[in-house]
Amino acid sequence: MKRDNFSGTFGVLVALAGSAIGLGNLWRFPYLVGTNGGAAFILIYLLFVFVLCLPILISEFLVGRRSQSNAVRAFTTLAPKSKWGIVGVLGVLGAIAILSFYSVVGGWTLNYAVKAISMDLLHTSEQVTDTFNSMVTSPFEPVIYMFLFLLLTAGVIIGGIKNGIERFSKIMMPILFVMIVMIAVRSVTLPGAGAGIEFLFKPDFSKVTFETLLVALGQAFFSLSIGCGAVLTYASYVKKSENIVKTSALTAFSDAIFAMIAGLAVMPAVFAFGVSPTEGPGLVFIILPEIFEQLPAGGFIAILFFFILLIAAVTSSISLMEVIVTYIIEEFRLSRKIAILVTLFIATILGTLCSLSQGVLSQIRIFGLNIFDFFDSLSANVLMTLGGLLLVLFVGWKLKKEDFMDEISNSGTLNHKILYGAIYFLIRYIAPIVILTIMIFGLI
Ligand code: TRP
């Protein structure tokens, strides 16, 4: 069977950036910045992104492109008769876990986008809180929207790589970028926005703990979509002539820039209206509508914002679903259609559980967490970090150095010996040591 491909450099870049830029940047990042003390957290996060996670991104890219295969077989192709396939299995499981709770938040977003259009969002602050709480705890509404969100995701990837994922990302990513800049400009020009800007850019390291490091690392992994086979799966559809290091660096760079712009879109507004930034996961769903309500043309801004959130969510969820779908297609020799149906089925069941765990099933606890938080924490704190660690160990210690150099340099056509040597050093020594240290200290 002939494998589909991305058509060229721009297509690969928007797809990877589309996967990276998502709810992680617009929903998770602002509330984590808010609850973890602002600028110091951001600096640590950026350090992790470029020093630690970029080498992991490059490793994952390299494994995918060299093997031209799904997340599990990639490892068994490059290291036959070994147990490394387990890394791929962890990846696929991670993708399933993330897709499950991600679709729930995607569903909330779709719901809010619809509410924004029907002008059903802008009320007093108590009403806004009520709207959110009653929506997420309801046994029906969020489940239906979660399912619609999954259908939307499936609707894109049914087209395959070039005509589905690539085409969708090419149209949506530029729109997304222009829209978020518009919101950020509005936010930083509000009277009283200065305090928010200061919160984002004036670091105070006195409150940094190991917990902060762990949260920042988890967020860096989550935001770059690494450690769960998503980059690997996309890379397996990338042609041998693309420049791995350049594309990876541009992906990390766009993701970091986008997170900063998202911070600028949210925090100045939060401070300008005198609300506390430590609201947590409800930040963009509760605080922002409250703020939009008080702005001129707020109804329009609300529509714009929740559409941004929706687009960002879909360009990311397609990468999660594609990990599972590519795996099913290749390992069980099923058609794309059937593979998507199977994935939809699994994700709908697990997603429903995640959604209900906010309400009627909230008494079910796994390690003290409800199902939703358990999936979130399992993937961000265990599966992705462990996946990332094993991945760099694989590339740094199992894969032959010649193979690494051959793949990263496109069989010698690119000549950046010193750069590649430095990347190899980061992958082989620095990344494993740092991740391991943070994991161990984070657990105790
Ligand atoms: N990076 C996405 C975000 O920030 C989420 C995501 C998409 C993801 N694909 C992934 C996370 C694969 C981990 C693995 O919203």
Side-chain angles (χ1 to χ4, degrees), residues 47-58 217 220-221 224 226:
L47 189 75
F48 281 158
V49 165
F50 289 104
V51 180
L52 210 60
C53 294
L54 181 54
I56 302 175
L57 178 65
I58 293 173
L217 183 68
F221 268 75
L224 286 178
I226 54 178

Side-chain angles (χ1 to χ4, degrees), residues 18-25 95 98 102 219 221-231 255 312-313 315-317 319-320 323 384:
S19 166
I21 296 168
L23 294 170
N25 304 59
I98 299 172
Y102 205 84
Q219 172 62 14
F221 268 75
F222 185 82
S223 192
L224 286 178
S225 304
I226 54 178
C228 276
V231 173
D255 187 50
T315 55
S316 297
S317 61
S319 74
L320 287 161
V323 174
M384 300 181 76

